[in-house]
């Protein structure tokens, strides 16, 4: 494994009876970056994470975390990584601080170190005021932040997050995104599974799209969007009476124009920023006043629909370990 890679999956396969939950998944994650593993329920994301974190043995293939093979060096892998599952696993009968102390003791860390780490983690995750309250009084967002704090008590260089914002309200989700961005700025490598397209778009440096246990696409969010369709210039005129003139001007520069009279809006296919800059210059020297001019790229929702034929939130046939258990 290259020293520049924190995570590497090599042809991972997992069968449950005759069912292939994961079927030949390979990818790598450079240190200090975020990989988004994107797919609907039942796609194989959780089973992939379980194999990479030594919780499930692969049927075939292997993976490496921080240079350690999950099959030959499982203890070293576990020392190198933290894991936050789909549901918070903290003890609700303990306080937040006691949960951190408990995990620190299980790691065999010195009590003095754990006390200091608890103070720092509670502050980092905005839980200082709640640190001595029992967890059953916490909100869902607070529990997820504590779950992350607990997973970081041993300062792992690699963190696996399996749908970490599932069940959170929009505000708590955004707050958690900010926490995760902070971890990456500090050098942590993240592998994030999600079925929230917006989450992958906001957080991931690269995205792997998985469906029915197989990788069907990978790249940056922008690269994936470009695969699913052409960008569009969207132009909104200030005055309805200028719409037809603006349309005529636009047709001199693009092959087709869609007109939305009610919205005073013109939409035309574009080849990226170059076309938008050219069109902006045309209207800058005209007498037509614009409310807005922008470039609209396909969304990750469009990408997923283009790749799979269904939306990300639509459940696929269950092939996960949970079904087999």
């Amino acid at each position: 494994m290259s020293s520049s890679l924190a995570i590497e999956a090599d042809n991972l396969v997992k069968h449950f009876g005759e069912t292939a939950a994961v079927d030949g998944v390979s990818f790598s994650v450079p240190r200090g970056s975020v990989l988004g593993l994107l797919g609907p329920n039942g796609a194989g994301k959780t089973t992939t994470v379980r194999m990479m974190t030594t919780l499930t043995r692969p049927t075939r293939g292997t993976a490496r975390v921080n240079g350690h093979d999950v099959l030959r060096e499982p203890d070293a892998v576990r020392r190198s990584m933290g894991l936050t599952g789909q549901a918070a696993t903290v003890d609700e009968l303990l306080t937040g601080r006691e949960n951190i102390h408990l995990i620190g003791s299980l790691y065999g860390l010195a009590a003095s170190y754990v006390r200091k780490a608890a103070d720092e983690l509670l502050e980092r995750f905005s839980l200082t005021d709640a640190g001595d309250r029992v967890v059953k009084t916490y909100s869902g967002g607070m529990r997820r932040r504590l779950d992350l704090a607990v997973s970081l008590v041993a300062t792992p260089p690699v963190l696996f997050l399996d749908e970490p914002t599932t069940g959170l309200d929009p505000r708590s989700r955004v707050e958690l995104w900010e926490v995760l961005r902070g971890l990456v700025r500090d050098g942590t490598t993240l592998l994030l599974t999600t079925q929230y397209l917006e989450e992958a778009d906001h957080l991931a440096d690269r995205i792997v799209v998985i469906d029915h246990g197989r990788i069907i696409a990978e790249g940056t969010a922008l690269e994936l969007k470009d695969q699913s369709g052409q960008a569009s210039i969207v132009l909104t005129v200030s005055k309805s009476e200028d719409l037809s003139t603006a349309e005529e001007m636009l047709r001199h520069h693009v092959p087709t124009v869609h007109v939305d009279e009610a919205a005073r809006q013109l939409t035309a296919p574009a080849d990226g920023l170059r076309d938008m800059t050219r069109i902006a210059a045309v209207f800058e020297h005209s007498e037509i006043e614009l409310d807005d001019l922008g470039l609209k790229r396909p969304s990750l929702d469009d990408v997923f629909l283009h790749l799979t034929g269904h939306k990300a939130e639509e459940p696929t046939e269950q092939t996960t370990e949970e079904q087999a258990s």
Side-chain angles (χ1 to χ4, degrees):
M1 174 176 171
S2 169
S3 60
S4 65
L5 298 177
I7 304 171
E8 188 173 7
D10 184 9
N11 195 32
L12 284 174
V13 175
K14 184 64 179 179
H15 288 170
F16 296 103
E18 298 299 317
T19 301
V22 176
D23 191 8
V25 166
S26 299
F27 57 79
S28 59
V29 189
R31 294 185 185 279
S33 67
V34 183
L35 178 75
L37 194 59
L38 177 65
N41 285 329
K45 305 187 303 296
T46 294
T47 302
T48 299
V49 168
R50 288 178 63 84
M51 287 189 285
M52 301 194 74
T53 55
T54 76
L55 296 176
T56 294
R57 187 177 180 86
T59 303
R60 290 196 303 276
T62 190
R64 285 166 287 279
V65 177
N66 203 36
H68 302 295
D69 189 285
V70 299
L71 294 176
R72 296 195 299 266
E73 307 167 274
D75 291 341
V77 169
R78 288 189 283 269
R79 287 193 296 268
S80 297
M81 62 91 183
L83 170 64
T84 299
Q86 292 184 20
T89 55
V90 291
D91 190 328
E92 66 176 15
L93 298 180
L94 299 178
T95 68
R97 190 181 305 276
E98 287 169 343
N99 269 280
I100 296 174
H101 285 182
L102 173 63
I103 298 302
S105 66
L106 291 175
Y107 271 108
L109 303 173
S112 58
Y113 169 83
V114 175
R115 284 194 296 270
K116 181 179 179 182
D119 290 339
E120 292 175 350
L121 288 167
L122 290 170
E123 180 177 0
R124 182 177 199 171
F125 289 89
S126 303
L127 292 169
T128 299
D129 292 341
D132 295 313
R133 284 168 39 197
V134 292
V135 172
K136 66 181 179 180
T137 67
Y138 284 18
S139 68
M142 292 169 68
R143 290 186 187 212
R144 294 305 277 161
R145 294 202 303 275
L146 178 62
D147 209 26
L148 267 174
V150 164
S151 69
L152 292 171
V153 67
T155 62
V158 178
L159 188 59
F160 292 88
L161 306 171
D162 192 12
E163 302 196 16
T165 61
T166 296
L168 296 187
D169 60 80
R171 178 178 177 180
S172 297
R173 184 174 298 142
V174 171
E175 289 174 351
L176 192 56
W177 289 354
E178 287 303 313
V179 170
L180 297 179
R181 290 190 186 100
L183 292 176
V184 177
R185 285 194 296 269
D186 291 342
T188 304
T189 303
L190 303 184
L191 187 150
L192 169 81
T193 80
T194 183
Q195 57 182 311
Y196 295 121
L197 296 151
E198 182 186 13
E199 188 159 85
D201 205 357
H202 275 77
L203 292 176
D205 298 301
R206 291 186 65 78
I207 298 170
V208 168
V209 184
I210 186 169
D211 196 37
H212 291 92
R214 295 183 178 182
I215 292 175
I216 57 174
E218 57 185 307
T220 66
L222 183 57
E223 288 168 347
L224 293 176
K225 290 174 184 179
D226 285 344
Q227 287 181 27
S228 68
Q230 191 171 32
S232 300
I233 293 172
V234 181
L235 181 154
T236 306
V237 300
S238 300
K239 301 174 183 177
S240 297
E241 55 265 31
D242 288 335
L243 190 62
S244 59
T245 304
E247 178 188 359
E248 184 178 348
M249 290 174 58
L250 194 56
R251 288 189 184 278
H252 285 297
H253 301 276
V254 296
T256 59
V257 179
H258 173 75
V259 182
D260 185 338
E261 294 185 2
R264 307 189 312 280
Q265 197 168 80
L266 303 171
T267 304
D271 187 18
L273 290 173
R274 179 180 299 179
D275 276 356
M276 192 184 77
T277 302
R278 182 166 54 87
I279 297 302
V282 169
F283 281 89
E284 183 180 3
H285 296 97
S286 75
E287 296 183 357
I288 295 177
E289 185 178 343
L290 302 181
D291 282 349
D292 193 23
L293 174 64
L295 185 69
K296 180 183 177 183
R297 294 188 181 275
S299 68
L300 279 181
D301 293 274
D302 298 327
V303 171
F304 204 88
L305 187 61
H306 172 76
L307 291 170
T308 68
H310 59 83
K311 297 180 180 179
E313 65 269 19
E314 292 176 354
T316 62
E317 180 182 352
Q318 291 296 307
T319 60
T320 63
E321 184 166 2
E322 288 75 12
Q323 181 201 35
S325 61

